[in-house]
Amino acid sequence: MDSPLQLANENLSEEIKRQVPGPFTQFQRNFIQTVSLLGKLPTRVLHCKKPHAAVALLRIDQEAMKSLTEEDKGDLLLSKVDFRHQRIAQTVEEVQKVIHQLTTEISHQDSRFQVVPYRDTYNGNIKVLAPGHFLIMVPVRGLAGYREVREQRWRYYNLKGSRLSCPLRAPEGLQQWLQVEQFTKSMWQWHEADVNIEGDIVPAKVLQVFQKLVEKAITTCHLSGKVSLLSSSSAVWLAVETSVCPVEIELAPTVEIPSAWPEKAQWPRCMKRWPSPERAECIKSFGFSLLARSNYHWQLNFSQAEQVLLQQLDEDGGCRRHCFRVLRQLTEDVWCPGGQPAITAHHLQMVLFWTCEKYPHRKDWQDLESALRRLVRKLHKCVSQRFLKHYFAPRSNLLHSASSGDLDALAQKLAFFLKSPQISLP
């Protein structure tokens, strides 16, 4: 005979099913099973008539939360992590369609800019920095055969090409100059004055050309009701309405440089056990890229190398990747919510990589709770000191432009969590 608890759980499961019309996604089935095991009914459940309809983050009745154990709360947090993945996947799918349409039109108008492909699986051109904040890298065409050169000359020009009395400051951190002569093959358009000053391909000039093309493409593609161009002094930003949430997107023209590794990226470091030397050489073979995100200097980017490193995190059976997802969920929901937060997924990724390098052994990543606390301690240290080194180029501080007030507020929240590490769902 079934126990009263089993019968109650079965009735609970049926009650949830009645509230959710239409076919179930795999996640919905898993969620119903999780809630049934916990014996608690959320006050708001997922309503969707189609498998790919937009979803909302799980909200749990606060009175019900009081009676849950920490283990149960942990299970609910993992359910929220799954919700987040489905929610982000839906947003990415809609954004991809819009960007693919726009860049197809832009590429027709100016062959220097390539189409951002639409992919059913992971798209390396899209970085989700926060649920409502994307960075999309738009590859450029016509620059091949890159070779790194040591900078020796001064620059005496402003963005309009006029002569300056004092030279421009040399790039710092993840920034560098880019000369058209650094490529053995280059389209004649990259030598034109609309993007080139005294032999330099200037990011601000590239962005000016690109922004005009984006503005025209929005009208040509009849997307004015869904997409709008945001004002920005040094980047191209779009606001896109999706069925999940509004998204702000930075579009960055990108010079892809495969099979090369810049001198500024002094990695791997000597005497480090993670990752293995063989794995590090494999990761470096994916190369890097240069993003147009500022006026004079191009930003070094290692998105492909970072993604390969992420994908291979837990080959020893550890919980690094799972721990990172929970950390990201807590940061986005509790500690640092908002469209453009001070700490993004990229910052958390750097925290993860540094911690993995310091704790390379499988035994350090067997317990999710202790591993999560270790990551939070590292994040708290970086935020408190307002200094987070880029994993591949440690001379760069990724928090140099973050708001001091935002970082101080986040440091207080992290300190409170470390003192009393309880999961609190909003």
Side-chain angles (χ1 to χ4, degrees):
M1 179 180 296
D2 293 333
S3 69
L5 178 59
Q6 289 173 319
L7 291 174
N9 286 341
E10 290 175 4
N11 292 336
L12 176 61
S13 179
E14 291 303 318
E15 183 176 350
I16 296 174
K17 291 177 181 178
R18 284 195 297 271
Q19 294 185 47
V20 185
F24 290 104
T25 64
Q26 181 61 43
F27 172 72
Q28 287 172 302
R29 288 191 289 270
N30 293 342
F31 169 66
I32 290 173
Q33 182 181 7
T34 300
V35 175
S36 298
L37 290 172
L38 293 176
K40 299 294 175 183
L41 177 64
T43 56
R44 190 180 304 171
V45 295
L46 176 63
H47 290 266
C48 91
K49 297 181 179 180
K50 297 180 181 180
H52 296 292
V55 298
L57 286 176
L58 174 64
R59 304 293 179 183
I60 303 298
D61 183 90
Q62 295 304 307
E63 290 302 317
M65 282 296 297
K66 293 178 182 179
S67 63
L68 295 182
T69 66
E70 286 303 313
E71 182 179 357
D72 290 343
K73 290 179 183 179
D75 289 339
L76 286 175
L77 179 61
L78 295 181
S79 295
K80 282 180 67 69
V81 171
D82 287 337
F83 260 109
R84 178 195 173 280
H85 278 287
Q86 184 166 340
R87 185 174 184 264
I88 292 297
Q90 174 66 21
T91 308
V92 169
E93 182 180 354
E94 294 184 32
V95 166
Q96 274 198 103
K97 292 178 180 178
V98 170
I99 299 302
H100 179 74
Q101 189 176 358
L102 286 175
T103 53
T104 298
E105 174 61 26
I106 289 170
S107 187
H108 287 325
Q109 299 299 322
D110 191 328
S111 60
R112 287 175 292 189
F113 301 99
Q114 296 188 54
V115 177
V116 175
Y118 175 87
R119 293 194 172 99
D120 293 329
T121 56
Y122 170 77
N123 191 333
N125 294 96
I126 300 177
K127 294 190 74 170
V128 181
L129 301 178
H133 179 195
F134 288 15
L135 168 65
I136 296 184
M137 292 160 278
V138 181
V140 301
R141 180 187 291 110
L143 294 170
Y146 174 83
R147 53 194 175 190
E148 192 162 26
V149 296
R150 292 188 177 275
E151 188 50 47
Q152 294 180 342
R153 68 184 181 90
W154 297 97
R155 267 75 174 185
Y156 289 89
Y157 60 79
N158 62 19
L159 292 177
K160 294 183 179 180
S162 301
R163 198 72 180 169
L164 298 175
S165 57
C166 297
L168 291 170
R169 199 171 53 163
E172 300 174 354
L174 293 183
Q175 314 290 329
Q176 69 168 52
W177 298 102
L178 186 63
Q179 303 171 55
V180 72
E181 285 78 11
Q182 287 182 245
F183 299 91
T184 57
K185 297 180 181 179
S186 58
M187 289 170 48
W188 63 269
Q189 289 95 329
W190 292 109
H191 297 259
E192 293 293 295
D194 63 344
V195 295
N196 193 311
I197 302 178
E198 296 184 5
D200 293 324
I201 303 175
V202 182
K205 305 284 281 184
V206 176
L207 286 168
Q208 288 173 6
V209 172
F210 184 65
Q211 180 167 323
K212 293 177 181 177
L213 292 168
V214 171
E215 189 172 11
K216 183 177 180 181
I218 291 173
T219 302
T220 304
C221 296
H222 307 289
L223 291 171
S224 301
K226 188 173 185 177
V227 181
S228 57
L229 191 64
L230 302 176
S231 59
S232 175
S233 58
S234 61
V236 177
W237 283 88
L238 296 179
V240 178
E241 291 292 332
T242 74
S243 61
V244 179
C245 65
V247 180
E248 292 189 0
I249 300 170
E250 181 185 356
L251 296 175
T254 303
V255 181
E256 296 177 339
I257 303 175
S259 305
W261 197 253
E263 286 188 9
K264 287 187 178 182
Q266 299 173 355
W267 182 86
R269 285 162 282 279
C270 296
M271 307 302 292
K272 296 299 180 181
R273 299 182 181 180
W274 186 91
S276 67
E278 297 77 17
R279 180 62 48 80
E281 287 305 311
C282 174
I283 290 171
K284 289 172 67 173
S285 70
F286 285 87
F288 67 104
S289 57
L290 298 169
L291 307 185
R293 301 183 75 184
S294 62
N295 285 334
Y296 292 97
H297 308 130
W298 292 78
Q299 185 181 80
L300 287 166
N301 177 65
F302 304 89
S303 57
Q304 277 192 299
E306 291 165 9
Q307 183 60 27
V308 174
L309 197 54
L310 274 176
Q311 289 174 341
Q312 301 172 343
L313 276 179
D314 294 320
E315 291 183 342
D316 60 0
C319 63
R320 300 171 186 83
R321 192 177 180 87
H322 207 158
C323 197
F324 171 70
R325 289 175 175 174
V326 174
L327 177 68
R328 185 169 177 177
Q329 185 75 39
L330 287 169
T331 302
E332 293 175 356
D333 267 12
V334 182
W335 300 328
C336 204
Q340 293 190 33
I343 295 295
T344 68
H346 188 250
H347 294 110
L348 298 180
Q349 200 169 277
M350 296 298 107
V351 169
L352 174 67
F353 290 159
W354 282 113
T355 309
C356 287
E357 184 172 284
K358 185 175 181 180
Y359 298 93
H361 303 295
R362 179 177 180 271
K363 63 180 178 64
D364 298 316
W365 300 94
Q366 290 299 294
D367 180 66
L368 180 64
E369 182 179 349
S370 60
L372 175 62
R373 195 177 294 113
R374 188 183 300 122
L375 283 181
V376 176
R377 281 198 300 268
K378 173 65 175 178
L379 177 61
H380 177 260
K381 179 180 178 181
C382 294
V383 171
S384 300
Q385 296 177 349
R386 301 175 187 175
F387 190 81
L388 172 58
K389 296 184 292 185
H390 192 286
Y391 182 66
F392 291 116
R395 293 183 181 179
S396 174
N397 177 20
L398 297 178
L399 297 179
H400 75 281
S401 61
S403 163
S404 298
D406 290 344
L407 293 179
D408 290 342
L410 175 58
Q412 290 181 355
K413 294 178 182 179
L414 295 173
F416 181 79
F417 176 85
L418 290 170
K419 185 177 180 180
S420 179
Q422 296 179 352
I423 297 171
S424 177
L425 299 179

